[in-house]
Amino acid sequence: MRVLHFYKTYFPESVGGVEQVIRQMCVGTGRLGVRNEVLTLTRQKEKRDVEFEGHKVRLLPLDFEISSTGFSLAAFGELARMAEEADVVHYHFPWPFMDLAHFISRIKKPSLVTYHSDIVRQKQLLRLYQPLKHRFLQSVDTIVATSPNYMASSAVLDRYRDKTRVITYGLDKTIYPEPDQARMDKWRAQIGERFFLFVGVLRYYKGLHILLDAVANTDYPVVIVGAGPIESELKAHAERLGLTHVLFVGALDEADKVALLTLCYALVFPSHLRSEAFGISLLEGAMYGKPMISSEIGTGTTYINIDAETGLVVPPSDPQAFGDAMRKLWDNPELAQAMGERAEARYWELFTAEQMAKSYTALYHELVAHHATVALAQVQA
């Protein structure tokens, strides 16, 4: 079984939530006999192939961008050639160029799309894109929603309910590095024994301005891991508020990130818009047994974090409520510990990479078998 994944960014050049999910899919299904390839774009000028954790990544030069949508003219022919050798083409939505490439490359192989998120921000361009989007979603064999919550709340997915199924994200804890004692000691010395942790790309929908407002007039240590387009804006906001107890540490390697996940008291995840469709770093917090604080935005974040069970869930864009939740966990260590234990138990029950890999591998085989049956019926007719 050969599967071709197509998405705008991927390792080793980009480390984000969707990239992490594709990585976990490739590694997990690879253990079940699937040969995965990833076709993606690069800001470098040359096409190149990279071997990454047992699967091939083909990077094509990015030609230009429109509203954060990357375009590559070379991708049309490359997608057609690689799809010809694949049994299944696995798309990752949203990426409008991908929809266009699907039709121009005349893909006829069994296909599915993992629907990672609605398009939320680009309202004007979305109107222009709507016909192509719906034609694309109609053309693929299966759509995969990433949580029952997102399936229930997405107007787009509701339109395709008859061809959509739910396969939640999963993580494999064994591929995360084990931080050495010196690294752990370094962070303890720098931050202390108790702190709240945020991990993620610093984007507009992450709600970090809400977190900063929430900890104004408190002394709770907060560590923010990540870089991104609004980093300088957030640092300026923290400086205006006089938040000397908030530490921006930038993008870290996996070992440092795991050290902080291991050491932190609780994970904070203030995303306030539906662009946050799931929350991989939230799931990482659960995997490491941490209580969580998140907002109710009708997406997978509240499938990971169950209010009063694995953590606390508050209304979005409400610094007062978010700060109250932080205070509740900070002042009740036994409650925080119990929530963290239940969060980890829920991870092992629902969110392992092994479960995700088994579900996708079964779907791949189902799609190939269905196409073979249809082709045979057409021949006999």
Side-chain angles (χ1 to χ4, degrees):
M1 174 69 67
R2 297 185 65 171
V3 175
L4 172 62
H5 296 263
F6 191 36
Y7 188 58
K8 59 185 176 181
T9 50
Y10 191 59
F11 291 89
E13 291 199 359
S14 180
V15 182
V18 175
E19 294 92 328
Q20 180 67 262
V21 170
I22 299 172
R23 171 197 183 193
Q24 299 275 352
M25 287 178 186
C26 291
V27 172
T29 60
R31 292 171 179 164
L32 299 176
V34 176
R35 292 175 60 191
N36 291 283
E37 294 181 322
V38 179
L39 179 61
T40 188
L41 305 187
T42 174
R43 294 187 179 278
Q44 298 187 19
K45 300 301 181 183
E46 301 291 330
K47 179 180 96 170
R48 70 188 199 278
D49 289 341
V50 176
E51 283 291 326
F52 181 74
E53 295 184 342
H55 56 278
K56 183 174 79 174
V57 182
R58 177 157 294 171
L59 298 107
L60 302 178
L62 169 73
D63 291 323
F64 58 92
E65 288 181 283
I66 300 174
S67 295
S68 301
T69 294
F71 287 76
S72 171
L73 298 180
F76 298 128
E78 202 68 44
L79 176 61
R81 285 188 291 272
M82 295 181 74
E84 189 63 31
E85 298 177 355
D87 297 300
V88 175
V89 179
H90 189 157
Y91 297 108
H92 296 272
F93 182 96
W95 181 25
F97 172 75
M98 174 185 70
D99 308 22
L100 185 66
H102 169 77
F103 291 112
I104 290 179
S105 303
R106 299 181 180 180
I107 303 303
K108 303 299 182 185
K109 289 295 182 76
S111 60
L112 72 151
V113 56
T114 297
Y115 192 93
H116 294 281
S117 173
D118 292 331
I119 295 175
V120 177
R121 197 178 194 187
Q122 292 90 355
K123 301 292 186 183
Q124 298 299 326
L125 289 174
L126 182 58
R127 292 191 183 96
L128 298 174
Y129 169 54
Q130 290 278 33
L132 175 62
K133 177 183 74 175
H134 286 298
R135 187 182 170 204
F136 172 70
L137 293 174
Q138 288 163 3
S139 72
V140 297
D141 295 300
T142 299
I143 300 169
V144 177
T146 58
S147 71
N149 298 44
Y150 213 85
M151 176 72 185
S153 64
S154 171
V156 175
L157 290 180
D158 188 60
R159 183 169 173 169
Y160 300 99
R161 189 170 291 274
D162 60 332
K163 66 188 299 182
T164 302
R165 65 183 68 187
V166 174
I167 301 177
T168 62
Y169 293 158
L171 299 178
D172 179 359
K173 193 173 182 179
T174 66
I175 70 175
Y176 285 71
E178 190 73 32
D180 57 66
Q181 192 59 49
R183 196 181 301 261
M184 300 281 280
D185 291 343
K186 177 195 76 172
W187 286 113
R188 277 199 190 93
Q190 186 173 348
I191 303 166
E193 291 295 329
R194 284 212 300 172
F195 60 92
F196 290 100
L197 177 67
F198 168 87
V199 179
V201 180
L202 309 187
R203 300 189 190 279
Y204 71 96
Y205 60 82
K206 294 292 184 179
L208 284 162
H209 60 289
I210 301 162
L211 173 62
L212 297 178
D213 289 342
V215 296
N217 303 314
T218 77
D219 58 358
Y220 306 143
V222 176
V223 177
I224 295 176
V225 176
I230 64 167
E231 183 174 356
S232 59
E233 177 184 326
L234 291 169
K235 288 180 176 178
H237 188 50
E239 187 174 351
R240 281 194 301 272
L241 294 172
L243 302 182
T244 57
H245 52 293
V246 174
L247 181 64
F248 290 86
V249 297
L252 300 177
D253 63 22
E254 284 287 285
D256 279 314
K257 185 183 82 171
V258 169
L260 291 172
L261 281 166
T262 303
L263 291 170
C264 74
Y265 183 71
L267 197 88
V268 286
F269 202 76
S271 296
H272 63 305
L273 298 173
R274 280 183 59 81
S275 300
E276 188 68 78
F278 194 83
I280 289 298
S281 61
L282 191 67
L283 184 54
E284 288 175 332
M287 185 172 71
Y288 280 89
K290 303 301 176 179
M292 299 166 282
I293 303 173
S294 59
S295 299
E296 179 55 82
I297 51 177
T299 71
T301 62
T302 320
Y303 188 59
I304 301 168
N305 185 24
I306 308 299
D307 187 39
E309 181 180 331
T310 61
L312 299 171
V313 179
V314 302
S317 301
D318 189 337
Q320 181 66 49
F322 208 94
D324 289 344
M326 294 175 74
R327 185 177 305 106
K328 183 173 183 178
L329 288 187
W330 191 262
D331 292 343
N332 295 276
E334 291 182 0
L335 174 66
Q337 182 179 349
M339 285 179 168
E341 290 170 355
R342 290 193 290 267
E344 184 175 4
R346 186 169 172 81
Y347 157 75
W348 287 110
E349 179 186 357
L350 297 174
F351 299 115
T352 66
E354 182 181 12
Q355 291 167 294
M356 178 178 69
K358 286 180 178 178
S359 296
Y360 272 108
T361 301
L363 177 55
Y364 296 152
H365 285 284
E366 178 186 326
L367 292 175
V368 170
H370 175 71
H371 268 246
T373 300
V374 170
L376 179 60
Q378 290 173 342
V379 170
Q380 292 175 340

